[in-house]
Amino acid sequence: MKKQNFASLATIFFALVLTGCAASKGAYSGNIEDDRSGEAGLAPVSAGTAGKASSPGFVKSSTIDDERTSTDSLLQKRIIYFDYDKSAVRDEALPILHTHAEFLNNKGGAIGIVLGGHADNRGSNEYNLALGQRRANAVRDIFLSYGASANDIEAISFGEEQPRAQGDNESAWQENRRVEIRYTDE
């Protein structure tokens, strides 16, 4: 129980440190269209090393650096991919969404998130708009389950109208089945 409390406090501390750094460094304003590091599901995600202590009550400085690096890395991931004709969020995206939800919560309503749902070009325009909305809503629901305020989140659908990749093949379709996370202050 003490380890869980310590891990929670450490996570809050790092989020507060990061919010101060983001304003001065602009750390979260990358262009997601050109930045493949912002994609969920393409590389293993590490949850960090919060909670490891060198002695009771003290955190190793390397642990702080590891946690900060992990949090920064997860916050830079702004695209959540989906399986064909599905709106269920993949398990590998959950640490990313949790980190974004904590960041949003720590901003206390000062910023918001727009979740843009997208689909590939298979199916009718109407169907793909509805599918994009279900995907955006699924991500929104996870944010809400992590304690984010509904007032800070907007879920919209673009259907197939804003493809990330051109082509009629699995590679292009996979790139286009997504939700993009955009902060309102960017």
Side-chain angles (χ1 to χ4, degrees), residues 20-82:
C21 294
S24 63
K25 294 182 181 177
Y28 310 114
S29 59
N31 181 350
I32 62 172
E33 271 67 337
D34 298 328
D35 180 13
R36 293 195 59 89
S37 69
E39 300 170 358
L42 297 181
V45 177
S46 169
T49 56
K52 294 183 180 177
S54 57
S55 61
F58 297 99
V59 177
K60 290 188 215 175
S61 62
S62 62
T63 302
I64 293 171
D65 292 340
D66 290 348
E67 184 69 22
R68 186 176 298 130
T69 300
S70 176
T71 300
D72 286 345
S73 175
L74 292 174
L75 284 172
Q76 290 175 6
K77 296 181 185 298
R78 304 286 183 92
I79 299 175
I80 307 301
Y81 287 105
F82 291 82

Side-chain angles (χ1 to χ4, degrees), residues 7 10-19 22 27-28 40 45-50 66-78 80 89 91-108 111 113 115 139 142-148 153 181 183:
T11 301
I12 291 168
F13 171 76
F14 295 126
L16 289 172
V17 169
L18 288 174
T19 57
Y28 310 114
V45 177
S46 169
T49 56
D66 290 348
E67 184 69 22
R68 186 176 298 130
T69 300
S70 176
T71 300
D72 286 345
S73 175
L74 292 174
L75 284 172
Q76 290 175 6
K77 296 181 185 298
R78 304 286 183 92
I80 307 301
V89 175
D91 288 342
E92 66 260 19
L94 295 177
I96 296 163
L97 297 177
H98 185 259
T99 302
H100 281 283
E102 284 183 342
F103 180 76
L104 186 63
N105 288 340
N106 289 329
K107 288 294 189 174
I111 63 169
I113 284 183
L115 303 170
V139 171
I142 289 174
F143 271 96
L144 296 176
S145 75
Y146 289 140
I153 304 169
I181 300 169
Y183 285 91

